[in-house]
């Protein structure tokens, strides 16, 4: 047959021709649905169907193929197979393989950003470089000239505007009472321990310091003079050590900014999140060039290196994802991985099970590690550290008539001086607490060096002992600017907060949270609620008691609500009448309808502030976590052990004390003694052992050392995120690459 076939002929050949003869469909037989037991779909049921896992499997397969080819090549050249099935290679080939293994560390940069310092170095380095995490930019005035030159810590002023002339009154009666009470308590304890205490010790100190003067030393005779940074070329910015050595009266002026404060990003001093992370990138870039001596100018140069980033245990998801984007998109690393601080500390110290107590500059962390994994519910993050000790130390020595009374922590050379004095003389060993005569050299830019002598007594111990009585610290301003630039992380599907939580942290927050308002019966008028707004039965306004819902570990979704101005999931509009800034209106009462239709009124509504209102389920943003260190350790271990006596003993027997704030003489023994007193009736007091990192590892760099170990585990480290994966999966790749639940 010549020509085209008709449509019917084609359908007939393919078996697709209608066979119902255009019958009415209502007369068709009923077709039963397929039984779901008889078919199976394997979509996203196997690990290799995920891009992140499949990529890793492909890399492992390529390594195996390469090893097999190398083995065949060695056999072809006369190699012999040993008992383990490996090929005996020549010495030259073995040296080349060792060089390949070492090159992994030589091409891996380990970063541990902190509030005060950035620890940076290659994974093959013995010790990291410590760089101040600060950047200086040109401005109209320096930080010491801000607030009309108000010194830090602030002094009390008289009615005429002059500073209080009596040193004992310069910081207020509250500080004086706390100082005297802590000093008396220390004397009592020293007498109980058979230590000699002179009755007139403080009078001896103040009488000497009143008469003390200084000697002048010419700059050419000062062998330890400071080379101040020259800014005559007016660079746009300066970072690290050079920024700390810029004179306060430089021309032009430079202002110091710290991108990370109190363990999180510094939203207070920045107006843009992009500018904040740009400063972090500049600090890292300059540190790589100046400290590591690596000339990385183009993205091709950066792509030759991998990066290990150490993040906090009690992290925020937005912080981690921002660092990932910075490392891959802005800096251009070939691959990036993350490790938590306490886990890195256990790697660096060689502990498999321990309770890590990390005392940093502005935060203190307690966390338990078991078999190479962090116990989520044991994480505790407290907002005090070495900087608070410095602040207390300044106040106490000025109280005792310090000869250099005009000292100001906002001046850079005074800040460097105070850090030096604190590190040299701080101790809580009772054998070293006595009236001592010391000296120091004041080196200011453009001035001759001045040598002071002074006496000191218990000021060397009381600031550090405040870790066990944190109410002595000044915590004002630590929450200023919080959530100014970055809102909390919320789940994409249910709109609930998904930042990690900790049962131990929530227990501490409940213990220090202000009491909830008292509820009293209230009877509305006959014409209704008279302008008041009823609360629905399913209102999402939580109480502090409901914080217990967060005790399920990481990353249990939180039911936290946010202020209305954040653009996040909100409670029902009938819950509460708010002002324009999202805070409760003190002129309005809030009522709640219970199951039996009884109307209740919160009577103390006018006293509720944003930090007191239980409007937030997650209290980490509005309550400052400040708690005695020893009690924080017991809370962390209790939640980690979960009632297991053997695990409790193991954790108390392996307390790992790290961080720069823990290097004070006598700190481990004092912490051990305090814990023994708390646990005297529990049977665990004899199990307590507080130790430092072994093998003479510096406690300040123990965490970085663990990150370097983690970065060199080429055979077992499957946590690397490449630009290929990040480009296609974004931050979702972290769910497959992190060692913990994301």
């Amino acid at each position: 047959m010549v020509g085209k076939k008709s449509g019917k002929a084609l359908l007939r050949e393919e078996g697709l021709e209608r066979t119902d003869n255009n019958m009415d469909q209502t007369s068709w037989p009923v077709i039963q649905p397929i039984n779901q037991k008889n078919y199976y779909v394997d979509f996203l049921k196997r690990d290799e169907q995920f891009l992140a896992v499949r990529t890793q499997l492909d890399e492992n397969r390529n390594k195996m193929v390469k090893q097999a080819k190398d083995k065949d090549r060695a056999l072809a050249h006369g190699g012999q197979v040993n008992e383990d099935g490996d090929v005996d290679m020549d010495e030259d080939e073995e040296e080349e393989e060792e060089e390949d293994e070492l090159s992994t560390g030589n091409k891996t940069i380990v970063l541990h950003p902190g509030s005060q310092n950035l620890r940076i170095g290659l994974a093959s380095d013995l010790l990291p470089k410590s760089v101040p995490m600060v950047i200086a930019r040109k401005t109209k005035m320096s930080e010491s000239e801000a607030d009309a030159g108000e010194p830090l810590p602030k002094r009390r002023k008289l009615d005429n505007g002059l500073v209080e002339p009596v040193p004992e009154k310069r910081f207020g009666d509250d500080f004086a009472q706390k100082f005297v009470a802590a000093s008396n308590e220390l004397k009592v304890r020293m007498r109980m321990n058979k230590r000699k205490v002179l009755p007139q010790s403080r009078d001896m100190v103040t009488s000497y310091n009143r008469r003390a003067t200084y000697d002048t030393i010419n700059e050419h005779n000062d062998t330890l003079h400071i080379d101040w940074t020259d800014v005559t070329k007016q660079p746009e910015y300066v970072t690290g050590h050079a920024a700390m050595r810029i004179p306060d009266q430089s021309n032009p002026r430079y202002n110091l900014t710290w991108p990370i404060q109190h363990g999180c990003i510094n939203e207070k001093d920045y107006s843009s999140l992009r500018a904040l992370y740009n400063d972090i990138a500049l600090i890292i870039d300059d540190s790589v060039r100046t400290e590591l001596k690596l000339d990385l100018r183009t993205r091709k140069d950066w792509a030759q290196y991998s990066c290990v980033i150490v993040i906090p245990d009690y992290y925020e998801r937005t912080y981690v994802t921002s660092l990932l984007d910075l490392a891959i998109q802005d800096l251009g690393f070939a691959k990036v991985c993350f490790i938590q601080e306490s886990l890195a500390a256990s790697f660096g110290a060689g502990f498999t099970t321990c309770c890590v107590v990390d005392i940093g500059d502005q935060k203190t962390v307690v966390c338990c590690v078991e078999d190479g994994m962090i116990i989520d519910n044991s994480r505790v993050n407290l907002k005090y550290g070495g900087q608070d000790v410095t602040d207390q130390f300044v106040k106490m020595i000025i109280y005792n008539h310090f000869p250099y009374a005009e000292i100001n922590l906002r001046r850079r050379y005074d800040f460097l001086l105070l850090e030096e004095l604190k590190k040299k003389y701080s101790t809580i060993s009772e054998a070293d607490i006595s009236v001592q005569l010391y000296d120091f050299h004041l080196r200011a830019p453009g001035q001759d060096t001045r040598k002071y002598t002074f006496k000191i007594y218990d000021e060397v111990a009381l600031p550090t002992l405040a870790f066990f009585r944190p109410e002595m610290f000044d915590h004002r301003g630590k929450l200023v600017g919080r959530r100014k630039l970055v809102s909390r992380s919320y789940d994409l599907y249910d709109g609930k907060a998904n930042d990690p939580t900790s049962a131990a942290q929530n227990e501490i927050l409940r213990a220090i949270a202000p009491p909830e308002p008292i509820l009293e019966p209230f009877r509305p008028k006959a014409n209704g609620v008279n302008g008041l707004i009823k609360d629905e039965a399913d209102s999402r306004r939580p109480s502090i008691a409901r914080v217990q819902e967060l005790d399920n570990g990481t990353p249990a979704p939180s039911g936290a609500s946010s202020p209305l101005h954040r653009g996040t999931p909100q409670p029902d509009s009938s819950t509460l009448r708010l002002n324009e800034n999202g805070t409760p209106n003190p002129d309005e009462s809030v009522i709640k309808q219970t199951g039996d239709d009884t109307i209740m009124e919160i009577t103390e509504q006018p006293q509720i502030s944003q930090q007191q209102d239980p409007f937030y389920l997650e209290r980490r943003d509005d309550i400052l976590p400040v708690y005695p260190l020893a009690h924080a350790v017991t809370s962390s271990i209790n939640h980690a052990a979960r009632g297991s006596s053997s695990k409790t003993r193991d954790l108390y027997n392996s307390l790992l004390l790290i961080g720069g704030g823990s290097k004070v003489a006598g700190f481990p023994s004092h912490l051990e003694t305090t814990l023994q007193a708390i646990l005297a009736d529990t049977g665990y007091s004899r199990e307590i052992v507080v130790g430092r990192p072994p093998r003479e590892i510096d406690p300040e760099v123990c965490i970085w050392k663990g990150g370097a170990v983690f970065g060199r585990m080429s055979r077992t480290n499957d946590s690397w995120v490449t630009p290929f994966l990040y480009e296609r999966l974004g931050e979702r790749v972290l769910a497959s690459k992190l060692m913990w639940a994301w």
Side-chain angles (χ1 to χ4, degrees):
M1 179 179 180
V2 181
K4 294 184 179 180
K5 293 185 178 181
S6 64
K8 277 192 174 184
L10 291 173
L11 291 175
R12 191 179 304 112
E13 291 180 1
E14 297 178 3
L16 300 176
E17 186 180 10
R18 290 180 62 104
T19 57
D20 56 1
N21 295 325
N22 296 322
M23 295 173 55
D24 187 6
Q25 295 183 3
T26 57
S27 61
W28 288 6
V30 178
I31 300 176
Q32 296 294 333
I34 300 176
N35 189 347
Q36 294 187 5
K37 297 187 299 183
N38 298 331
Y39 70 94
Y40 175 78
V41 177
D42 61 353
F43 178 66
L44 294 182
K45 294 294 181 68
R46 297 191 302 271
D47 289 343
E48 57 267 20
Q49 293 177 331
F50 292 90
L51 179 61
V53 179
R54 187 169 65 250
T55 304
Q56 185 65 39
L57 293 176
D58 292 342
E59 292 180 1
N60 295 337
R61 188 181 301 108
N62 293 336
K63 287 183 179 179
M64 293 176 61
V65 171
K66 182 179 180 299
Q67 291 175 359
K69 290 181 179 179
D70 293 341
K71 182 178 179 180
D72 294 340
R73 189 180 300 110
L75 290 174
H77 288 80
Q80 297 180 356
V81 180
N82 56 27
E83 297 178 356
D84 298 332
D86 298 330
V87 178
D88 294 332
M89 296 182 296
D90 297 335
E91 294 182 359
D92 296 340
E93 296 179 355
E94 291 179 355
E95 291 177 358
E96 291 178 2
E97 184 176 354
E98 291 175 359
E99 291 177 0
D100 292 340
E101 293 292 334
L102 290 175
S103 65
T104 304
N106 291 332
K107 293 294 184 179
T108 302
I109 298 176
V110 182
L111 301 175
H112 180 204
S115 303
Q116 179 72 18
N117 293 306
L118 168 68
R119 316 286 183 192
I120 184 172
L122 296 174
S124 58
D125 292 341
L126 181 62
L127 294 173
K129 305 292 184 181
S130 295
V131 183
M133 192 71 181
V134 64
I135 185 170
R137 290 186 178 276
K138 288 191 294 186
T139 184
K140 295 181 179 179
M141 62 178 63
S142 63
E143 62 274 10
S144 61
E145 299 172 332
D147 297 335
E150 182 72 25
L152 187 70
K154 292 184 178 180
R155 279 74 159 173
R156 173 189 283 182
K157 292 186 177 180
L158 301 177
D159 295 337
N160 56 6
L162 299 178
V163 177
E164 171 65 53
V166 182
E168 290 85 349
K169 299 180 180 180
R170 285 181 183 171
F171 302 107
D173 297 334
D174 183 61
F175 169 77
Q177 293 173 2
K178 291 179 180 179
F179 183 24
V180 173
S183 180
N184 293 334
E185 181 181 345
L186 178 61
K187 291 179 181 178
V188 171
R189 187 168 67 250
M190 291 178 64
R191 289 192 178 99
M192 291 177 59
N193 295 331
K194 309 302 181 182
R195 299 290 182 183
K196 185 178 179 180
V197 179
L198 297 177
Q200 304 298 328
S201 298
R202 192 170 304 283
D203 294 337
M204 295 170 57
V205 171
T206 55
S207 62
Y208 180 88
N209 290 341
R210 285 194 189 101
R211 304 189 306 269
T213 58
Y214 62 85
D215 297 329
T216 302
I217 302 175
N218 295 329
E219 184 178 357
H220 62 273
N221 292 328
D222 185 8
T223 58
L224 299 177
H225 71 276
I226 299 176
D227 294 328
W228 301 100
T229 304
D230 184 13
V231 293
T232 54
K233 295 182 179 180
Q234 300 187 10
E236 187 66 26
Y237 65 89
V238 183
T239 65
H241 294 288
M244 295 296 299
R245 293 195 296 266
I246 297 177
D248 293 88
Q249 305 298 324
S250 63
N251 186 20
R253 295 288 196 273
Y254 281 81
N255 183 68
L256 300 185
T257 309
W258 306 80
I260 300 178
Q261 291 284 273
H262 307 293
C264 53
I265 60 174
N266 180 14
E267 301 174 75
K268 173 185 175 182
D269 298 331
Y270 283 88
S271 59
S272 168
L273 187 63
R274 182 66 261 176
L276 190 152
Y277 281 104
N278 182 58
D279 282 356
I280 295 178
L282 291 175
I283 295 173
I284 295 174
D285 182 79
D286 279 9
S287 300
V288 168
R289 297 184 184 182
T290 58
E291 300 294 335
L292 302 186
K293 309 301 181 183
L294 299 177
D295 189 15
L296 306 182
R297 299 184 179 275
T298 64
R299 292 187 66 88
K300 185 177 180 181
D301 297 333
W302 284 92
Q304 298 177 8
Y305 289 83
S306 306
C307 180
V308 177
I309 304 178
V310 183
I311 61 173
D313 307 322
Y314 201 48
Y315 60 87
E316 294 182 353
R317 291 169 64 100
T318 54
Y319 175 69
V320 179
T321 55
S322 298
L323 287 182
L324 177 62
D325 184 80
L326 181 146
I328 291 182
Q329 299 289 356
D330 296 347
L331 297 177
F333 282 109
K335 52 184 178 179
V336 180
C337 70
F338 294 94
I339 184 173
Q340 293 170 293
E341 289 178 340
S342 294
L343 183 58
S346 68
F347 283 6
F351 285 30
T352 57
T353 299
C354 62
C355 178
V356 180
V357 181
D358 179 16
I359 302 177
D361 185 69
Q362 297 177 17
K363 70 178 177 69
T364 298
V365 173
V366 183
C367 183
C368 296
V369 179
E370 182 183 22
D371 296 333
M373 290 296 294
I374 283 179
I375 302 176
D376 294 335
N377 281 330
S378 69
R379 294 175 293 188
V380 174
N381 190 307
L382 305 175
K383 300 302 182 183
Y384 56 74
Q387 190 179 84
D388 298 278
V389 173
T390 304
D391 183 73
Q392 286 294 108
F393 182 68
V394 175
K395 291 181 179 179
M396 290 181 181
I397 60 177
I398 293 178
Y399 183 95
N400 285 341
H401 296 259
F402 190 61
Y404 179 42
E406 60 271 18
I407 192 168
N408 180 7
L409 285 176
R410 285 180 174 168
R411 286 199 293 254
R412 294 153 198 169
Y413 58 88
D414 283 348
F415 176 80
L416 296 175
L417 171 64
L418 259 300
E419 288 294 317
E420 178 186 355
L421 294 179
K422 182 185 70 172
K423 292 179 180 179
K424 287 176 63 176
Y425 304 133
S426 291
T427 178
I428 55 177
S429 177
E430 294 180 358
D432 300 330
I433 300 176
S434 61
V435 178
Q436 301 284 345
L437 178 63
Y438 295 122
D439 61 65
F440 67 91
H441 294 77
L442 175 63
R443 298 177 176 89
Q447 303 178 18
D448 290 334
T449 301
R450 290 185 286 180
K451 180 182 178 180
Y452 287 86
T453 59
F454 69 103
K455 282 189 176 181
I456 197 168
Y457 178 45
D458 54 4
E459 303 94 309
V460 297
L462 294 180
T464 305
L465 290 175
F467 283 124
F468 304 90
R469 297 181 57 182
E471 65 273 8
M472 293 186 62
F473 292 140
D474 186 3
H475 304 290
R476 291 175 296 181
K478 291 185 178 181
L479 287 177
V480 175
R482 185 70 170 140
R483 299 303 177 194
K484 171 186 171 183
L485 301 177
V486 182
S487 60
R488 292 192 56 206
S489 174
Y490 289 90
D491 189 88
L492 182 63
Y493 299 100
D494 57 14
K496 297 181 179 179
N498 58 1
D499 279 330
T501 60
S502 168
Q505 183 81 0
N506 293 331
E507 181 182 62
I508 291 175
L509 293 179
R510 287 196 297 270
I512 64 178
E516 293 188 33
I518 302 175
L519 299 180
E520 295 181 359
F522 172 73
R523 191 77 178 177
K525 295 183 179 180
N527 60 348
V529 295
N530 195 19
L532 302 182
I533 303 176
K534 289 187 177 181
D535 188 9
E536 300 295 336
D538 58 347
S539 172
R540 290 176 57 189
R541 265 180 61 243
S543 63
I544 296 178
R546 287 181 57 190
V547 182
Q548 296 176 351
E549 298 175 5
L550 299 174
D551 293 354
N552 296 326
T554 306
S558 171
S561 301
S562 300
L564 299 181
H565 65 281
R566 291 181 186 167
T568 52
Q570 306 167 3
D572 190 270
S573 59
S574 63
T575 300
L576 188 64
R577 183 170 295 177
L578 303 175
N579 291 325
E580 294 180 356
N581 60 357
T583 58
N585 188 349
D587 298 329
E588 298 290 342
S589 300
V590 181
I591 61 177
K592 180 179 181 181
Q593 184 176 6
T594 60
D596 55 357
D597 295 332
T598 302
I599 306 298
M600 310 292 288
E601 182 183 18
I602 298 179
T603 58
E604 297 183 1
Q605 183 69 17
Q607 284 75 29
I608 299 177
S609 65
Q610 186 172 355
Q611 294 186 4
Q612 296 175 333
D613 186 12
F615 187 78
Y616 309 97
L617 181 56
E618 177 64 74
R619 308 304 300 266
R620 66 196 291 179
D621 293 337
D622 59 327
I623 293 181
L624 190 69
V626 174
Y627 206 60
L629 178 60
H631 292 278
V633 172
T634 58
S635 177
S636 175
I637 292 179
N638 289 339
H639 285 280
R642 301 180 65 88
S644 173
S645 59
S646 61
K647 187 181 295 185
T648 303
R649 287 189 176 89
D650 292 341
L651 292 173
Y652 277 121
N653 195 36
S654 56
L655 287 167
L656 178 61
L657 189 60
I658 60 173
S662 68
K663 297 174 67 175
V664 179
F667 199 102
S669 59
H670 185 80
L671 176 59
E672 187 173 321
T673 303
T674 306
L675 288 173
Q676 289 173 350
I678 295 174
L679 303 172
D681 299 331
T682 62
Y684 298 117
S685 59
R686 296 183 180 180
E687 309 291 339
I688 300 173
V689 177
V690 180
R692 298 189 184 274
R695 301 185 301 276
E696 299 182 357
I697 297 177
D698 189 349
E700 290 188 10
V701 303
C702 182
I703 293 178
W704 180 92
K705 196 68 177 178
V709 172
F710 182 72
R712 297 187 64 176
M713 298 193 316
S714 59
R715 294 181 180 270
T716 59
N717 188 356
D718 298 335
S719 302
W720 295 108
V721 178
T722 62
F724 170 79
L725 292 175
Y726 184 70
E727 179 183 358
R728 284 157 177 77
L729 300 178
E731 63 184 59
R732 293 176 298 166
V733 70
L734 294 176
S736 303
K737 288 296 183 178
L738 295 180
M739 297 178 61
W740 61 91
W742 174 250

